[in-house]
Amino acid sequence: AKDVSLNSKLFVSNDVSMDSLLMVGNDVSLNSKLFVSNDVSMDSHLMVGDDVSLNSKLFVNDDVSFNANLTVGNDVSINSKLFVSNDVSMDSHLMVGNDVSLNSKLFVSNDVSMDSHLIVGNDVSLNSKLFVNDDVSFNANLMVGNDVSLNSKLFVSNDVSMDSHLMVGDDVSLNSKLF
């Protein structure tokens, strides 16, 4: 077998079979599809001018960068941490299967519902009214900085101490001695 040299174009009207390597020293242009029956290796960039469709999984050994939006049509699973350097917007529910830690403030613009206990490790400040539908228990002193109004009876199981006057607007009944 000897070498063949052509100094111009080669036109073949049917199939071409080669039993070894095809080496091309410059660009290759294909005007239709390219079918490869085995692995494809490229030692540099792959540039695609239009959409890319993969009919199975995509495995990437290193970082992936997207310079625009990423749209996923189904669930997304992340097997390690997710770091987001800017705001996060979610248009539906956020379900967290374990504890949530926030290292700064939490702002909620609407109602908050909790189906169990609320435990606060420090002071609680309310800038408006507090409504409680059931009993309230305080296990220490109750300090009130202004008047207290009760719209029904007051029951005290022990002594009552007042450091000033007692004003009663109606009758007073005592069931025992007055000292």
Side-chain angles (χ1 to χ4, degrees):
K2 295 199 173 201
D3 293 344
V4 174
S5 295
L6 300 173
N7 294 323
S8 190
K9 298 177 181 175
L10 171 66
F11 295 95
V12 178
S13 63
N14 253 331
D15 292 348
V16 174
S17 296
M18 298 180 194
D19 292 333
S20 190
L21 301 175
L22 171 64
M23 306 288 269
V24 178
N26 214 331
D27 292 347
V28 174
S29 296
L30 303 173
N31 294 323
S32 191
K33 298 177 182 174
L34 171 65
F35 295 96
V36 178
S37 63
N38 217 330
D39 292 346
V40 174
S41 296
M42 298 181 190
D43 293 333
S44 191
H45 300 285
L46 170 64
M47 307 292 267
V48 179
D50 210 342
D51 292 347
V52 174
S53 297
L54 303 174
N55 294 324
S56 190
K57 298 176 181 173
L58 171 65
F59 295 95
V60 180
N61 287 332
D62 212 341
D63 292 347
V64 176
S65 297
F66 295 99
N67 295 322
N69 296 336
L70 171 64
T71 302
V72 178
N74 214 329
D75 292 347
V76 174
S77 296
I78 298 173
N79 295 325
S80 190
K81 297 177 181 175
L82 171 65
F83 296 96
V84 179
S85 63
N86 220 330
D87 292 347
V88 174
S89 297
M90 297 182 189
D91 294 333
S92 191
H93 301 286
L94 171 63
M95 306 292 275
V96 179
N98 213 324
D99 293 346
V100 175
S101 296
L102 303 174
N103 294 325
S104 191
K105 298 176 181 174
L106 171 65
F107 295 96
V108 179
S109 64
N110 218 329
D111 292 347
V112 174
S113 297
M114 297 182 190
D115 293 334
S116 191
H117 302 285
L118 171 64
I119 298 172
V120 179
N122 215 326
D123 293 347
V124 175
S125 297
L126 302 174
N127 295 327
S128 192
K129 298 175 182 173
L130 171 65
F131 296 96
V132 179
N133 287 333
D134 213 340
D135 292 346
V136 175
S137 297
F138 295 99
N139 295 323
N141 297 333
L142 172 63
M143 308 294 256
V144 179
N146 215 332
D147 293 346
V148 175
S149 297
L150 302 174
N151 295 326
S152 191
K153 298 176 182 175
L154 171 64
F155 295 95
V156 179
S157 63
N158 255 328
D159 293 343
V160 175
S161 297
M162 297 182 196
D163 293 335
S164 190
H165 302 285
L166 172 63
M167 306 290 278
V168 179
D170 210 338
D171 293 340
V172 174
S173 298
L174 302 173
N175 294 325
S176 189
K177 298 177 185 175
L178 175 61
F179 297 98

PDB file of all heavy atoms in Angstrom, residues 17-23:
ATOM      1  N   SER A  17     -15.274   3.838   3.670  1.00  0.00           N
ATOM      2  CA  SER A  17     -14.878   3.040   4.831  1.00  0.00           C
ATOM      3  C   SER A  17     -13.382   3.159   5.008  1.00  0.00           C
ATOM      4  O   SER A  17     -12.611   3.048   4.051  1.00  0.00           O
ATOM      5  CB  SER A  17     -15.261   1.564   4.633  1.00  0.00           C
ATOM      6  OG  SER A  17     -16.662   1.429   4.556  1.00  0.00           O
ATOM      7  N   MET A  18     -12.956   3.366   6.237  1.00  0.00           N
ATOM      8  CA  MET A  18     -11.543   3.430   6.578  1.00  0.00           C
ATOM      9  C   MET A  18     -11.315   2.508   7.755  1.00  0.00           C
ATOM     10  O   MET A  18     -12.061   2.551   8.723  1.00  0.00           O
ATOM     11  CB  MET A  18     -11.127   4.863   6.927  1.00  0.00           C
ATOM     12  CG  MET A  18     -11.294   5.847   5.797  1.00  0.00           C
ATOM     13  SD  MET A  18     -10.791   7.493   6.300  1.00  0.00           S
ATOM     14  CE  MET A  18     -11.493   8.442   4.980  1.00  0.00           C
ATOM     15  N   ASP A  19     -10.296   1.708   7.698  1.00  0.00           N
ATOM     16  CA  ASP A  19     -10.042   0.734   8.752  1.00  0.00           C
ATOM     17  C   ASP A  19      -9.060   1.248   9.798  1.00  0.00           C
ATOM     18  O   ASP A  19      -8.601   0.487  10.642  1.00  0.00           O
ATOM     19  CB  ASP A  19      -9.502  -0.573   8.137  1.00  0.00           C
ATOM     20  CG  ASP A  19     -10.579  -1.271   7.315  1.00  0.00           C
ATOM     21  OD1 ASP A  19     -11.765  -1.061   7.621  1.00  0.00           O
ATOM     22  OD2 ASP A  19     -10.224  -1.999   6.381  1.00  0.00           O
ATOM     23  N   SER A  20      -8.745   2.531   9.768  1.00  0.00           N
ATOM     24  CA  SER A  20      -7.819   3.083  10.738  1.00  0.00           C
ATOM     25  C   SER A  20      -8.203   4.540  11.000  1.00  0.00           C
ATOM     26  O   SER A  20      -9.344   4.935  10.756  1.00  0.00           O
ATOM     27  CB  SER A  20      -6.385   2.944  10.230  1.00  0.00           C
ATOM     28  OG  SER A  20      -5.477   3.273  11.273  1.00  0.00           O
ATOM     29  N   LEU A  21      -7.271   5.342  11.437  1.00  0.00           N
ATOM     30  CA  LEU A  21      -7.535   6.720  11.855  1.00  0.00           C
ATOM     31  C   LEU A  21      -7.808   7.640  10.673  1.00  0.00           C
ATOM     32  O   LEU A  21      -7.305   7.408   9.566  1.00  0.00           O
ATOM     33  CB  LEU A  21      -6.329   7.262  12.628  1.00  0.00           C
ATOM     34  CG  LEU A  21      -5.921   6.500  13.888  1.00  0.00           C
ATOM     35  CD1 LEU A  21      -4.640   7.102  14.451  1.00  0.00           C
ATOM     36  CD2 LEU A  21      -7.017   6.563  14.914  1.00  0.00           C
ATOM     37  N   LEU A  22      -8.603   8.681  10.943  1.00  0.00           N
ATOM     38  CA  LEU A  22      -8.784   9.771   9.995  1.00  0.00           C
ATOM     39  C   LEU A  22      -8.191  11.006  10.639  1.00  0.00           C
ATOM     40  O   LEU A  22      -8.673  11.470  11.669  1.00  0.00           O
ATOM     41  CB  LEU A  22     -10.271  10.003   9.686  1.00  0.00           C
ATOM     42  CG  LEU A  22     -10.594  11.255   8.862  1.00  0.00           C
ATOM     43  CD1 LEU A  22      -9.983  11.161   7.464  1.00  0.00           C
ATOM     44  CD2 LEU A  22     -12.109  11.455   8.772  1.00  0.00           C
ATOM     45  N   MET A  23      -7.157  11.534  10.081  1.00  0.00           N
ATOM     46  CA  MET A  23      -6.485  12.716  10.618  1.00  0.00           C
ATOM     47  C   MET A  23      -6.770  13.879   9.687  1.00  0.00           C
ATOM     48  O   MET A  23      -6.527  13.785   8.488  1.00  0.00           O
ATOM     49  CB  MET A  23      -4.973  12.491  10.712  1.00  0.00           C
ATOM     50  CG  MET A  23      -4.569  11.251  11.476  1.00  0.00           C
ATOM     51  SD  MET A  23      -4.822  11.413  13.227  1.00  0.00           S
ATOM     52  CE  MET A  23      -3.254  12.039  13.716  1.00  0.00           C
TER      53      MET A  23
END
